[in-house]
């Protein structure tokens, strides 16, 4: 830079501006943890006497990078979509849709054993049978004919333990234990 200044190639103000530039590029955000994380959901509400439960994201949930280290041991949240009609008392919207089926939880498994969505889905099939799969962030449906897909939580038939976190998947972010 001094050589360029002496030779008159750049002026004093340009040299000052160049001096203020960082010498090495810095990352836009911190490097991800070496331990993979997965997104978890919890029970948000129980239906009033109709056998339904609302599951979804709470303040601990991170659907973008995962919120729980894959070394944690938690149940997998499973869903079987049956096309069941909307129960009375539930008004689905984008943030709390109707999943058109039933939820259940597997026994706790270490997140790092969930090496792919297929492995997680097979775990649901192993415990509950054909048609079961891991619940996904966008499984809630809303609209006049439940034609739209929402996110963040959904209602379904079933009973789940309160104050429990569950592994759940998201199909458009790297927030799964296998990512």
């Amino acid at each position: 830079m001094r050589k360029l200044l002496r030779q008159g190639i750049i002026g004093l103000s340009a040299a000052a501006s160049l001096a203020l530039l960082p010498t090495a590029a810095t990352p836009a955000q911190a490097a991800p943890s070496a331990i993979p994380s997965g997104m978890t959901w919890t029970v948000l509400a129980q239906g009033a006497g109709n056998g339904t439960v609302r599951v979804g994201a709470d303040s601990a949930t991170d659907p973008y990078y995962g919120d729980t280290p894959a070394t944690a041991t938690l149940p997998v949240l499973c869903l079987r979509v049956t096309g069941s009609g909307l129960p009375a008392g539930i008004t689905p919207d984008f943030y709390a849709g109707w999943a058109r089926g039933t939820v259940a939880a597997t026994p706790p498994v270490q997140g790092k054993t969930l090496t792919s969505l297929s492995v997680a889905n097979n775990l649901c099939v192993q415990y509950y049978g054909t048609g079961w799969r891991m619940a996904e962030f966008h499984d809630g449906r809303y609209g006049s004919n439940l034609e739209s897909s929402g996110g963040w939580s959904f209602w379904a038939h079933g009973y789940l333990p309160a104050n429990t976190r569950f592994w759940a998947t998201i199909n458009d972010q790297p927030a799964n234990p296998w990512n």
Side-chain angles (χ1 to χ4, degrees), residues 1-10:
M1 183 168 54
R2 286 184 184 157
K3 183 177 179 183
L4 294 174
L5 241 177
R6 275 195 312 265
Q7 292 176 349
I9 296 174
I10 62 171

Side-chain angles (χ1 to χ4, degrees), residues 75-167:
V76 172
L77 182 62
C78 300
L79 173 68
R80 182 174 58 126
V81 176
T82 61
S84 62
L86 185 65
I90 294 177
T91 304
D93 62 28
F94 180 89
Y95 297 102
W98 173 241
R100 303 166 296 151
T102 303
V103 290
T106 68
V109 297
Q110 197 170 37
K112 66 183 184 177
T113 65
L114 303 173
T115 57
S116 69
L117 179 57
S118 178
V119 167
N121 288 341
N122 286 335
L123 194 62
C124 293
V125 169
Q126 176 187 337
Y127 283 99
Y128 299 108
T130 303
W132 286 85
R133 62 172 172 78
M134 188 179 202
E136 201 273 329
F137 184 91
H138 303 95
D139 276 328
R141 310 292 295 183
Y142 70 101
S144 58
N145 293 312
L146 301 176
E147 72 276 1
S148 300
S149 175
W152 298 98
S153 76
F154 62 74
W155 286 94
H157 292 293
Y159 294 96
L160 295 168
N163 302 315
T164 301
R165 299 205 72 75
F166 307 95
W167 297 115

